[in-house]
Amino acid sequence: MRIDYHSHFIERVHFGPKFTRDWDEQCGLGAWPEVSAEDFERAMEPFDKVLVFGITAHAMGIHTPHEHVARLVARNPAKYIGFMALDPSRPDAIREMERGVHEFGFRGIKLYPIMSVYNPADPAFHPFYRRAVELGLPVMMHMGASPVSQGPLKYSLPLLVDDLAIAFPELRVIIAHLGHPWQRETALVIRKHAHVYADISGLWHRPWQGYEAMIVCLEWGVTHKLLFGSDYPLWEPSNAIESLRRLNEQVQGTPLPKIPGEVIEEILERDVLSELGIIT
Ligand SMILES: [Zn+2]
């Protein structure tokens, strides 16, 4: 089973005027490629299943409506697994979660603490996570760097997921991007907690760190908790898979350890949908 655990279906208009201006200034115009449903379908041809979501971070004026992702999922419900982008710092967050499940059939939640400017382990959000556990919804969290100057990096530290998993051992969590550049901390968190996983999307973007992160995960014995994610449309899936397979090239002809090919292929074939409670 080939699964892309991290993909976006977002329109630039969801980013709002202020964020779009900042983003374009920092990353150049077109930093977020506009994609149609047809583009999405074409890019996702290599996969049997795809987790897809937008972004909601009210502090930055960013919001992907449930309707937008649900429309894509409706084109191929056997393949697409919709997650809802929520912001627990909003008073209506639990209602939006329930609406997402009951009206739109979403199977999980995507959070973006750094851009929403909140500590994801804040006990004030415990009712939110309690409801997610009751509804059997896994939570994917963007953890790790963001170039957004107003987003506090401290809210992106993977160790916050450790606090959350201690409070909610039944909550299924995916730490996005292996928590880059804190991949080492992520390895320790996913090692400790049975229901916490990490996706490796963007790992190949900084190849040395990506290589090093894979070696760290091998040494800690946690590669079985790693999930493939393309981060489309920021990366074309075919390109992402290729770049992942080429991480070892940097150390070819050196005594440095190599990432075993089978570990990479296992990540590409990993199916934890039932462990995440998505397929029951
Ligand atoms: Zn992403």
Side-chain angles (χ1 to χ4, degrees):
M1 177 83 81
R2 276 269 154 114
I3 304 171
D4 187 340
Y5 287 89
H6 190 129
S7 76
H8 299 278
F9 191 59
I10 303 178
E11 287 181 329
R12 266 173 77 85
V13 65
H14 300 164
F15 288 110
K18 186 187 171 298
F19 185 81
T20 305
R21 202 170 47 242
D22 290 357
W23 178 277
D24 286 344
E25 270 169 22
Q26 290 195 33
C27 306
L29 271 176
W32 191 275
E34 198 79 89
V35 295
S36 67
E38 289 76 15
D39 294 330
F40 189 93
E41 283 169 342
R42 208 170 310 116
M44 291 304 162
E45 272 167 17
F47 302 101
D48 304 302
K49 303 262 184 202
V50 177
L51 267 64
V52 56
F53 35 81
I55 298 177
T56 289
H58 286 285
M60 302 288 161
I62 305 171
H63 178 55
T64 302
H66 286 346
E67 288 79 359
H68 183 72
V69 174
R71 260 196 304 274
L72 176 81
V73 174
R75 293 169 70 99
N76 194 345
K79 175 165 177 170
Y80 300 139
I81 299 165
F83 271 38
M84 51 189 139
L86 296 177
D87 183 342
S89 67
R90 298 285 285 185
D92 64 350
I94 293 179
R95 211 175 53 233
E96 275 300 284
M97 185 195 307
E98 290 166 346
R99 204 170 72 87
V101 172
H102 299 126
E103 282 181 38
F104 299 95
F106 286 125
R107 318 295 293 277
I109 296 168
K110 173 73 193 290
L111 301 181
Y112 220 128
I114 184 169
M115 289 225 280
S116 311
V117 193
Y118 64 80
N119 174 349
D122 189 332
F125 305 141
H126 280 189
F128 176 89
Y129 295 115
R130 202 168 296 127
R131 193 73 184 113
V133 171
E134 284 166 5
L135 292 169
L137 298 168
V139 175
M140 178 185 285
M141 262 182 221
H142 176 101
M143 290 276 112
S146 160
V148 178
S149 56
Q150 294 305 304
L153 286 164
K154 64 184 175 190
Y155 294 153
S156 234
L157 295 173
L159 293 186
L160 296 172
V161 177
D162 185 32
D163 290 345
L164 183 61
I166 289 169
F168 291 94
E170 284 310 308
L171 184 69
R172 273 57 177 168
V173 182
I174 302 171
I175 299 176
H177 316 299
L178 246 178
H180 69 110
W182 300 292
Q183 295 99 334
R184 202 171 299 244
E185 286 82 347
T186 300
L188 297 179
V189 176
I190 62 179
R191 177 174 180 255
K192 271 183 74 178
H193 299 288
H195 300 313
V196 180
Y197 298 81
D199 83 49
I200 61 164
S201 55
L203 193 82
W204 42 86
H205 185 49
R206 293 180 177 83
W208 178 252
Q209 273 202 16
Y211 159 80
E212 202 190 11
M214 287 299 297
I215 299 298
V216 165
C217 287
L218 277 164
E219 289 188 332
W220 284 103
V222 294
T223 56
H224 64 291
K225 303 291 282 299
L226 303 181
L227 313 174
F228 178 78
S230 66
D231 212 6
Y232 180 80
L234 297 178
W235 284 87
E236 282 292 327
S238 50
N239 197 348
I241 292 170
E242 183 63 19
S243 308
L244 179 63
R245 287 183 172 141
R246 293 176 60 174
L247 283 177
N248 272 335
E249 284 182 7
Q250 310 164 84
V251 294
Q252 221 88 69
T254 76
L256 289 168
K258 311 290 177 290
I259 308 159
E262 64 267 23
V263 167
I264 289 175
E265 298 313 310
E266 278 163 17
I267 292 172
L268 291 169
E269 296 291 338
R270 182 147 293 126
D271 176 0
V272 292
L273 294 179
S274 58
E275 287 89 334
L276 290 170
I278 291 170
I279 288 177
T280 47

